[in-house]
Amino acid sequence: MSAVDLTQFHKTFFEESREGLDAMEAALLALDSGSTDHELVHTIFRAAHSIKGGAATFGFADVAAFTHVAESLLEEVRSERRAVDSGLIELLLRSVDCLRAMLERSSQGQPVADAESEALRVELVQLVSGEVAVPSGAAAPAAAPAGGWTIGFTAMPHLLQTGNDPLRLFRELQQLGRLEVVRAFITDSAPAQLAELDPSQCHLGWELRLHGAVARGDVDAVFDWLDGDCELTVAPLVDAAAVPDAPAPEIAVPAAATPRPVREAAAASGEGSSIRVGIDKVDALINMMGELVITQSMLSDIGEKFELSQLGRLRDGLVQLERTTRELQESVMRIRMLPIASVFNRFPRLVHDLERKLDKRVRLELHGEHTELDKTVLEKIGDPLVHLVRNAIDHGLESPAQRKAAGKSETGTLKLNAYHEGGNIVVQISDDGAGLNRAAIVAKAQQRGLVAAGQELGDAEVAELIFQPGFSTAAQATDLSGRGVGMDVVRRNVRDLGGSVGVRSVPGKGSTFTITLPLTLAIIDGLVTAVGSERYIVPLTSIVESLRLRADAVRRIAGGGEVFHFRDEYLPIMRLHRAFACGDAVTDIERGIVVVIEEDGRRVGLLVDDLLGQQQAVVKSLEAHYRRVQGISGATILSDGSVALIVDVGGVVRLGQRSKAA
Amino acid sequence: MYEDKRAAAPPLQQLTFGLADEEYGVDILAVREIRSWSRVTRIPQTPDYVLGVLNLRGAIVPIMDLRLRFGLQRESYGDDTVVIIVAIAERLFGIVVDAVSDVVDIDPTAIKPVPDMGAVVDTRYLKGLATHAERMVMLLDVEKLMRPEDVETLDAALPAVQDVEVAA
């Protein structure tokens, strides 16, 4: 047994424990919302139980000890000896946080228990021992009797078969206090003849004394795994004369609550990121691989001694190869796709905490949790979403009193919704709060010189203002806002993912933030365009239309800009060859093609020489070996092995806007 | 003393190449491969000495012309034009040089500081001067060639993007 290297299972243990903690948290929050579902309590208990078991098995004693106590408390809830109240839930939520931090530290090989976890453990211990207490009439209900406990422990014959070892139990007891074996005896279950003795059966019993100020819960916890595998009696030790009064454990609780372990740290700690893939996805891959092998053997068979008569078969084979390759590619990409639930799941807790902090009442609705997103996108979208949810509760939703006064229900609703739309994922965060404070935003913008006094602004323009760097209408920096992280950062993060963010707001009715994201960052559908001898890829999702212009459709604007009429609006023309300084390109608008592209509702006509066709492009980073280039989002390799650059539509549109403004 | 020093410092292997009738050396450990010139894809908004990028087995690798980098006349490229692919801290880039000459051992104790004159090259990019077979070899500091901060300085000298006139 000892030869097995347990460390190889640590990663799985951490992963599963994190999942267990998430499940605990979710169930606790569900309990908090008034649901008295018995199954929830069981879920919490089971999660705690398996974390404890795992921690003990893999040698994380501190984690095991902590979970132990929490589990004892949960056991009382499960057996309905203790009622669930918000105080208890709050305590258990803190325990979940604490365990998360402990696991995080142990995964990094740091010391696990700290002052915070110890204080919390003591708090739990006191609660457990305080209420279960010694049988009625006994003295000192809160703390353990100073003397200790008399323990009668008689093993059932099958004790060893359940993986329990009395020695281990005694060792654990020894850690609680001084252990004294009064007597050990052979039980009645033992066979009369020594020859009939089965070494896998245990026929022993012990009478023990545990000296010291030990909580009853701690003693019970040691025998927790032996449910039904032994007979156990625990009674307060009467004769305490031999032991000097052990002082009750006094542990200083840190005056100021230490900052809550930041979950983001877990993501940042660069633990070799892994992915859990459904077996069906892997099966699909294996099937595809099988087909590829068959096609390959068929093609090599044809290639062996090729005759012209086989041309048809060859063509069929190539068609099949193309199809299988495409499917294989899709399946591989699908492996990276994970449901957005993993991000959404952190919001019940966030909302719970914010409700308390801000004294507001919020009902959180989650929709479309099963919508799948690329893992990379998923990892990066969390922070912007957290920011938007915080904002919605802090700025968007009114206090219960204000809501009542406005004739709304006191509880505000915050809706998170994720769904597919075309080749994109859309994530919406909407609240039924007061909406954007138009007057305050305009006033702030005028103060900052973004808007001239008396200038009339449309709703869209007002909404656009909140995305300006450093823009905040909060009168003062609160705990939640005013930390210098604004909507501009949200927009930048989303843009870095190739997405866009917009806002729609109705005064008194609430606001909706809409984030549109590409399905994956690794592959895009692009239109290959020619500009001189260069090839540029324009992402298909941003293209509105491509058209040829007659020279007389182009209007000059004072200051040197060119515009053309397109569906009731005048769009600026952006000559790509000029922006990217390509020498040998078509300069005559009539001979080129204008590709109308859109970003954040702004449109620009991009002048290119020619369109060469549509193609899936595997996105490669320019920054890996070079650096970021304005107007370019990356590069790809064309079928001839040459490199083509991918146009950053947002960047190019912004270039166009700037040049128009100039 | 002298003997000790020699024992402590093994000879430096340098790949030497010619550029505008002068001889330069790069640390052989930084060299990944030597290849002939092939067409590159131009990148907008970059200094002129960055010719563009090419596909090096799936990686997008920038190529710079060392003559242009040092402010010399650009030579025309042909089949004989050599590109040395260099790796610094996992970043790859290629430098276009006139011709590769040799791999030589340089005694590190014999490397002389660069006098602040004479060479056509900005002395910032040189680690030192060495003599090999009675020829002077200028040891190139490839790290400095790709330093981000002097990319920044060069950017500042270039016209900003917003200044690029978009329409005629």
Side-chain angles (χ1 to χ4, degrees):
Chain A
M1 270 294 277
S2 59
V4 179
D5 178 16
L6 289 178
T7 54
Q8 59 179 312
F9 303 116
H10 283 184
K11 208 171 159 227
T12 316
F13 164 66
F14 288 131
E15 241 164 64
E16 286 181 354
S17 300
R18 275 185 207 116
E19 279 171 22
L21 288 172
D22 288 347
M24 273 175 86
E25 188 177 81
L28 283 168
L29 290 168
L31 273 182
D32 191 37
S33 65
S35 163
T36 48
D37 193 348
H38 209 65
E39 192 49 46
L40 285 173
V41 179
H42 280 274
T43 306
I44 301 167
F45 182 80
R46 270 197 305 270
H49 192 72
S50 48
I51 293 171
K52 183 184 84 171
T57 311
F58 296 117
F60 301 110
D62 291 343
V63 178
F66 188 94
T67 332
H68 223 57
V69 193
E71 198 193 339
S72 312
L73 190 62
L74 285 166
E75 169 57 31
E76 289 174 18
V77 175
R78 190 170 70 148
S79 58
E80 288 174 359
R81 275 181 286 150
R82 178 185 290 279
V84 179
D85 57 25
S86 63
L88 182 76
I89 286 171
E90 214 53 44
L91 181 66
L92 287 169
L93 280 174
R94 274 166 55 208
S95 305
V96 168
D97 289 339
C98 183
L99 273 169
R100 235 182 229 134
M102 288 171 94
L103 284 171
E104 191 51 43
R105 286 195 292 267
S106 31
S107 72
Q108 291 169 353
Q110 292 169 1
V112 173
D114 60 5
E116 195 194 353
S117 74
E118 199 45 41
L120 198 55
R121 195 184 71 82
V122 168
E123 208 174 319
L124 287 166
V125 165
Q126 279 167 352
L127 199 58
V128 173
S129 55
E131 301 239 351
V132 189
V134 246
S136 59
W149 304 91
T150 308
I151 302 163
F153 172 63
T154 309
M156 295 297 224
H158 65 264
L159 177 84
L160 300 176
Q161 287 159 357
T162 57
N164 285 295
D165 182 351
L167 262 183
R168 186 182 65 79
L169 298 169
F170 297 166
R171 226 175 274 139
E172 260 184 70
L173 284 174
Q174 247 171 356
Q175 286 175 358
L176 298 173
R178 188 166 66 82
L179 187 70
E180 182 191 354
V181 180
V182 181
R183 78 184 176 106
F185 53 90
I186 297 169
T187 61
D188 301 338
S189 62
Q193 298 294 320
L194 206 59
E196 290 168 30
L197 199 63
D198 179 350
S200 68
Q201 304 275 316
C202 181
H203 308 287
L204 294 169
W206 289 269
E207 204 180 304
L208 308 165
R209 275 189 203 147
L210 184 61
H211 301 280
V214 180
R216 167 68 190 254
D218 282 354
V219 178
D220 286 340
V222 172
F223 295 100
D224 214 66
W225 287 82
L226 281 82
D227 193 24
D229 301 328
C230 70
E231 275 172 35
L232 190 69
T233 57
V234 182
L237 189 65
V238 189
D239 178 20
V243 188
D245 280 1
E250 254 184 62
I251 284 155
V253 180
T258 29
R260 168 104 58 67
V262 190
R263 195 200 281 231
E264 279 78 6
S269 68
E271 41 180 270
S273 84
S274 67
I275 214 169
R276 279 191 164 208
V277 182
I279 197 80
D280 54 323
K281 288 181 178 174
V282 178
D283 283 345
L285 262 185
I286 291 169
N287 284 342
M288 227 70 79
M289 209 55 229
E291 272 189 53
L292 203 59
V293 170
I294 293 167
T295 315
Q296 187 265 333
S297 71
M298 171 187 158
L299 285 174
S300 68
D301 194 42
I302 298 172
E304 201 84 347
K305 35 186 187 298
F306 183 75
E307 290 163 23
L308 215 53
S309 63
Q310 287 173 303
L311 200 60
R313 275 190 69 204
L314 178 65
R315 214 167 269 152
D316 289 348
L318 287 174
V319 168
Q320 199 173 323
L321 180 67
E322 192 198 323
R323 189 182 50 109
T324 320
T325 313
R326 201 176 48 238
E327 283 177 16
L328 191 63
Q329 184 200 40
E330 277 168 18
S331 312
V332 172
M333 297 312 296
R334 216 168 289 144
I335 282 198
R336 297 182 54 89
M337 303 295 275
L338 294 173
I340 199 167
S342 61
V343 174
F344 274 12
N345 284 347
R346 68 168 91 160
F347 290 120
R349 179 62 193 276
L350 182 69
V351 170
H352 169 93
D353 290 351
L354 288 177
E355 267 184 300
R356 251 139 252 253
K357 208 179 243 168
L358 298 169
D359 212 12
K360 290 186 178 175
R361 285 167 62 188
V362 186
R363 190 162 56 91
L364 178 68
E365 281 182 27
L366 298 176
H367 300 282
E369 295 111 301
H370 300 299
T371 311
E372 290 195 330
L373 259 174
D374 188 274
K375 185 173 159 68
T376 337
V377 182
L378 210 54
E379 278 167 0
K380 292 185 181 152
I381 199 61
D383 291 344
L385 282 180
V386 166
H387 190 82
L388 289 175
V389 167
R390 267 202 195 123
N391 263 359
I393 298 178
D394 195 11
H395 302 311
L397 292 176
E398 317 90 324
S399 68
Q402 285 169 328
R403 289 185 65 89
K404 209 171 173 186
K408 300 197 231 181
S409 78
E410 289 186 14
T411 306
T413 305
L414 183 68
K415 240 186 266 183
L416 260 72
N417 193 10
Y419 56 91
H420 287 265
E421 195 180 72
N424 290 309
I425 297 274
V426 180
V427 185
Q428 278 186 329
I429 297 105
S430 38
D431 63 68
D432 63 348
L436 294 178
N437 187 343
R438 193 191 157 99
I441 291 171
V442 173
K444 182 84 182 181
Q446 285 174 348
Q447 185 194 325
R448 287 178 48 113
L450 294 168
V451 176
Q455 189 179 339
E456 285 298 315
L457 291 174
D459 284 347
E461 284 166 303
V462 173
E464 192 58 32
L465 283 171
I466 63 171
F467 291 106
Q468 294 301 314
F471 198 91
S472 170
T473 53
Q476 64 188 75
T478 66
D479 188 19
L480 297 162
S481 9
R483 279 178 296 187
V485 182
M487 292 301 298
D488 58 318
V489 178
V490 170
R491 174 170 276 186
R492 199 170 60 231
N493 286 352
V494 173
R495 271 196 182 139
D496 285 348
L497 292 171
S500 60
V501 55
V503 58
R504 216 183 53 239
S505 175
V506 181
K509 291 261 171 65
S511 333
T512 300
F513 286 85
T514 306
I515 297 177
T516 311
L517 293 166
L519 271 180
T520 172
L521 298 178
I523 294 188
I524 60 157
D525 278 311
L527 184 70
V528 187
T529 65
V531 180
S533 55
E534 301 294 334
R535 306 278 172 269
Y536 292 106
I537 313 261
V538 183
L540 218 52
T541 47
S542 348
I543 297 179
V544 180
E545 204 172 308
S546 305
L547 48 123
R548 257 180 214 284
L549 283 183
R550 291 212 321 273
D552 58 7
V554 178
R555 299 268 179 279
R556 287 287 187 99
I557 282 191
E562 282 174 304
V563 296
F564 69 104
H565 196 72
F566 179 76
R567 292 188 202 155
D568 298 340
E569 56 181 330
Y570 282 99
L571 300 185
I573 293 178
M574 169 109 186
R575 291 168 175 259
L576 207 57
H577 66 90
R578 217 174 283 235
F580 289 171
C582 307
D584 43 1
V586 172
T587 51
D588 180 0
I589 285 189
E590 275 197 335
R591 284 178 48 222
I593 289 179
V594 172
V595 181
V596 179
I597 53 173
E598 180 175 332
E599 165 85 5
D600 285 341
R602 299 179 199 185
R603 290 175 172 183
V604 167
L606 218 54
L607 178 69
V608 299
D609 293 7
D610 204 358
L611 307 182
L612 301 178
Q614 221 173 295
Q615 171 178 324
Q616 282 208 320
V618 178
V619 180
K620 304 250 175 191
S621 147
L622 260 186
E623 285 127 286
H625 300 289
Y626 188 48
R627 64 187 167 98
R628 233 189 145 84
V629 177
Q630 288 187 65
I632 300 293
S633 64
T636 192
I637 294 165
L638 298 176
S639 51
D640 64 356
S642 66
V643 178
L645 299 180
I646 300 169
V647 174
D648 169 15
V649 170
V652 163
V653 169
R654 283 193 291 281
L655 284 182
Q657 292 290 317
R658 269 206 289 268
S659 67
K660 194 176 73 171
Chain B
M1 270 289 274
Y2 185 61
E3 286 298 317
D4 282 351
K5 238 183 185 172
R6 266 167 64 115
L12 293 173
Q13 283 209 308
Q14 296 276 315
L15 175 74
T16 62
F17 58 85
L19 191 78
D21 296 329
E22 290 179 348
E23 195 162 6
Y24 294 86
V26 287
D27 190 346
I28 193 91
L29 296 175
V31 176
R32 279 301 153 83
E33 65 182 79
I34 299 166
R35 45 186 290 152
S36 60
W37 169 253
S38 55
R39 205 189 83 86
V40 296
T41 300
R42 285 188 47 256
I43 329 174
Q45 280 121 45
T46 52
D48 64 343
Y49 61 79
V50 176
L51 301 168
V53 287
L54 61 76
N55 164 21
L56 191 75
R57 288 179 295 280
I60 309 292
V61 177
I63 306 294
M64 72 163 80
D65 183 307
L66 209 53
R67 281 174 162 265
L68 290 179
R69 183 74 162 105
F70 293 158
L72 303 170
Q73 196 69 41
R74 178 173 167 165
E75 287 283 298
S76 62
Y77 299 152
D79 293 341
D80 303 332
T81 308
V82 178
V83 182
I84 304 176
I85 306 288
V86 189
I88 294 294
E90 307 204 342
R91 288 168 82 90
L92 295 169
F93 69 98
I95 46 180
V96 177
V97 303
D98 291 357
V100 170
S101 14
D102 208 352
V103 175
V104 300
D105 285 347
I106 303 275
D107 177 356
T109 57
I111 297 176
K112 306 279 186 295
V114 190
D116 196 13
M117 51 150 285
V120 286
V121 169
D122 190 333
T123 51
R124 268 187 301 170
Y125 305 121
L126 296 182
K127 277 180 176 165
L129 303 177
T131 309
H132 179 79
E134 292 175 11
R135 287 170 303 167
M136 186 184 74
V137 178
M138 289 180 268
L139 307 182
L140 216 54
D141 191 339
V142 268
E143 273 176 65
K144 287 213 180 110
L145 275 182
M146 271 308 268
R147 270 261 173 87
E149 59 255 34
D150 66 48
V151 170
E152 300 303 326
T153 1
L154 272 147
D155 272 1
L158 288 169
V161 187
Q162 29 294 44
D163 301 339
V164 176
E165 199 191 337
V166 174

